[in-house]
Each structure stands twice: as C-alpha cells, then as structure tokens.
Amino acid sequence: MLANSGKHREVRTDLKPDLWTGSTVIFTWSQPEKETHEPLVTNASVLTYVTVGDKRFKAIELFEAMADQWRAFLVEEGLFEFRPGFPEDT
C-alpha cells in the first residue's frame, strides 16, 4: 500500500476502511529575492504517511517502531545475537 501511495498519492483499502496511505511534498522556501520579490524553492522532500482513523503517522517512524518491536521480540525469544560495533546496537 505504501509503495502505491508514492505513485497514486493516496491509497485506501476496503478491507480496512479507516486505513489510508498517502504522500505529499514539503517545500522549503528562501527569503524573497530582492529584484523579483519572489521566494524560491530551496528544497523539496516527500512525506509518506499512514492514516488510521483520525491519526496520521509518518511511514518512516512507523517502520522504525516496527523494527524496534521485532528486535525486542527476537531478543526475548533468543533469536537475535548482539554484535557490538554496529551503530544501531549502541
């Protein structure tokens, strides 16, 4: 669903009617130019999100939380081996 959101900008599934995914672009603007008095776009970044009911979550934060939950589960089950030296293990 998230992959299609990037292409179609908004996706909904009939299996979960309160679950939507979408994406938008966030622009960063410069101060207006002295000669034209027009601001310029200095950066554009894509935000992909998941909306459940009336709550919106950034997709990257959702994936990070899911990874943390899986890691905790795998550690508790003895299926994850700690390897020092990796930045995410500090």
Side-chain angles (χ1 to χ4, degrees):
M1 284 179 53
L2 288 172
N4 273 339
S5 296
K7 187 170 64 170
H8 298 291
R9 297 205 12 106
E10 187 175 271
V11 175
R12 185 180 71 85
T13 175
D14 291 331
L15 298 175
K16 293 187 174 265
D18 65 337
L19 174 68
W20 289 76
T21 65
S23 62
T24 189
V25 176
I26 300 171
F27 294 104
T28 304
W29 298 88
S30 69
Q31 293 293 325
E33 295 288 314
K34 291 181 183 179
E35 296 157 3
T36 64
H37 303 289
E38 297 285 329
L40 298 175
V41 174
T42 58
N43 189 32
S45 59
V46 176
L47 170 66
T48 303
Y49 58 86
V50 176
T51 302
V52 180
D54 61 350
K55 293 184 180 180
R56 180 178 284 187
F57 305 92
K58 292 180 181 179
I60 191 71
E61 292 174 0
L62 181 64
F63 291 142
E64 288 170 347
M66 289 169 48
D68 289 343
Q69 289 176 2
W70 270 108
R71 182 178 175 164
F73 170 77
L74 294 172
V75 167
E76 288 174 13
E77 295 297 317
L79 300 171
F80 180 80
E81 181 181 325
F82 177 77
R83 296 182 185 191
F86 290 93
E88 63 270 10
D89 290 335
T90 56

